[in-house]
Amino acid sequence: MAGKVAPHTAATIVIADASPIIGLSLIGGLDWLEPLFGSVHITRQVREELLFNVEIDPRPGMTEIERFIRKRTLKVIQKDWEAPLFAHLDDGEASVLRAASNQKCACLVIIDESLGRRAAAELGIAVTGLVGLILAAKKAHLIPKIAPVLARLEQAQFRLSARLIADALAIAAEGVK
């Protein structure tokens, strides 16, 4: 899999971008966040991406995401930072990396997009993505196998590369699906 993922236990604060949260909502994986991390922080920009015009344009998983925000498993960071800019990233990804880079403690960011992952790595911020969370859920015995979970993501038309899927199945010792 692209990039090494630091152990989740090394992070004091976990901050997520929208894409992995949406992916988790599609597979019933939001319930994994509490046992894996206690809580996960999102920025106000990410919250907007997740819930923008939900009454007008409901998206799959939005009801679940709202529930996890109310429950405070997903905690919205109220502070906005102006620097660093990250002009090459979208607003949500940039806000996640600004929040992480301005913390006084170790962070883990959950981000899928390669530019955001690269920027996090350049800053020395631990990074994982949706597939990393699925693997962590298996390791924590929250799910027995990752193959059915990956299949549900594909059925929901969540984009994952064939190589990423093959690498994840190999890491999980589940062979080719």
Side-chain angles (χ1 to χ4, degrees):
M1 293 175 59
K4 296 289 180 197
V5 176
H8 300 263
T9 55
T12 303
I13 185 170
V14 180
I15 307 172
D17 190 29
S19 175
I21 298 299
I22 291 167
L24 287 174
S25 75
L26 296 173
I27 57 174
L30 290 171
D31 286 320
W32 307 337
L33 295 176
E34 193 170 345
L36 290 174
F37 307 115
S39 63
V40 172
H41 293 77
I42 59 174
T43 63
R44 292 189 312 180
Q45 292 85 349
V46 168
R47 184 186 181 284
E48 276 297 309
E49 286 182 24
L50 291 169
L51 301 178
F52 181 69
N53 286 336
V54 73
E55 292 86 23
I56 298 168
D57 181 25
R59 297 176 195 142
M62 294 306 110
T63 303
E64 281 298 289
I65 292 169
E66 285 181 313
R67 185 170 69 83
F68 279 83
I69 290 172
R70 280 192 311 275
K71 192 171 127 171
R72 296 199 33 87
T73 301
L74 291 171
K75 295 181 178 180
V76 180
I77 299 170
Q78 295 303 317
K79 182 171 175 70
D80 290 321
W81 290 269
E82 294 182 20
L85 288 178
F86 303 108
H88 62 294
L89 301 177
D90 75 23
D91 288 344
E93 294 162 5
S95 72
V96 166
L97 293 179
R98 275 194 298 277
S101 64
N102 281 283
Q103 297 303 311
K104 305 260 188 276
C105 57
C107 290
L108 169 68
V109 296
I110 305 170
I111 196 165
D112 283 336
E113 293 77 8
S114 60
L115 288 175
R117 293 171 69 87
R118 193 171 312 125
E122 288 170 4
L123 291 168
I125 298 170
V127 64
T128 193
L130 176 58
V131 172
L133 294 179
I134 294 168
L135 287 165
K138 180 179 178 180
K139 185 175 182 180
H141 306 288
L142 300 172
I143 56 173
K145 292 186 170 281
I146 69 163
V149 174
L150 294 173
R152 285 198 316 265
L153 279 172
E154 286 182 320
Q155 289 168 351
Q157 298 181 344
F158 193 92
R159 291 185 346 206
L160 295 174
S161 74
R163 180 183 170 130
L164 181 61
I165 291 169
D167 288 350
L169 290 169
I171 289 168
E174 293 183 28
V176 181
K177 60 174 206 172

